[in-house]
Amino acid sequence: MTPEVVPLSADELLDALDELAELLIDTVLGGASIGFLAPLDRATAAAWWRAQIPAVRAGRLSVRVSRDGGRIMGTVGVLFADKPNARHRADIVKLMVHRDARGKGLGRTLLSAGERAAAESGVTLLLLDTETGSPAETLYRSAGWTAIGVVPGHAADPAGTLRPTTFFYKDLPAASVRD
């Protein structure tokens, strides 16, 4: 059975702050290069999520989660462009899967949910980046994303070691462009 992925309102994100902070910490401890260094403390993780609330409230960021038994096991964000000439594009951001749920297809489910959310908002071009050689890179390639190129030493992994980053794009079916 495919897990349900649901959007969070700004208020729901605030209510889920502790769970989302725990997921972020677990993802970093699991070695995912998502912008944070290990060890990541709960206050820093919660503050990062709290800082996303205005963007969710403004409709600039869509955060979707998947739960198992009420516990958040994964999340994906769609960050919409805010420039008038870029309303057709968005970025997939912070695709995270708890280590307890890895290897079961949840990453692909979350990615598909993010793609659908973007398409439903009129987005026709998605972008993302990930650590070169990571399991996430394998997921994106297998999900039909096109690699644009690799930037050496672009971002540090959770241990602080600079790693290359692969940038991807994916065209989505045309719909009406967001207002």
Side-chain angles (χ1 to χ4, degrees):
M1 181 174 161
T2 302
E4 182 182 22
V5 178
V6 297
L8 293 183
S9 69
D11 290 338
E12 290 167 329
L13 194 154
L14 181 60
D15 290 343
L17 217 57
D18 287 338
E19 282 186 273
L20 290 165
E22 191 275 325
L23 174 63
L24 179 56
I25 291 166
D26 180 77
T27 303
V28 171
L29 287 175
S33 180
I34 56 169
F36 297 90
L37 299 175
L40 178 61
D41 64 87
R42 186 165 295 280
T44 301
W48 184 85
W49 278 109
R50 187 174 286 108
Q52 307 315 303
I53 292 172
V56 171
R57 189 165 277 124
R60 188 153 142 43
L61 174 65
S62 173
V63 175
R64 292 168 185 271
V65 298
S66 177
R67 289 186 167 91
D68 183 8
R71 179 178 172 211
I72 293 176
M73 298 305 288
T75 186
V76 64
V78 180
L79 182 61
F80 298 99
D82 62 350
K83 295 176 183 68
N85 71 340
R87 304 284 175 156
H88 65 288
R89 71 176 190 239
D91 291 277
I92 294 291
V93 295
K94 300 296 185 269
L95 174 59
M96 294 182 263
V97 175
H98 196 284
R99 287 180 289 177
D100 292 346
R102 289 189 185 161
K104 301 174 185 173
L106 182 55
R108 184 173 301 279
T109 298
L110 288 162
L111 181 60
S112 294
E115 291 172 2
R116 273 192 311 281
E120 289 167 2
S121 294
V123 168
T124 58
L125 177 65
L126 278 173
L127 304 164
L128 63 76
D129 65 83
T130 193
E131 183 180 330
T132 304
S134 68
E137 181 181 15
T138 302
L139 168 64
Y140 302 137
R141 288 183 187 280
S142 70
W145 286 71
T146 302
I148 301 166
V150 175
V151 177
H154 181 263
D157 66 14
T161 303
L162 291 178
R163 301 283 186 197
T165 298
T166 303
F167 289 80
F168 289 89
Y169 78 91
K170 187 171 190 178
D171 288 317
L172 299 177
S176 61
V177 176
R178 293 185 306 126
D179 294 326

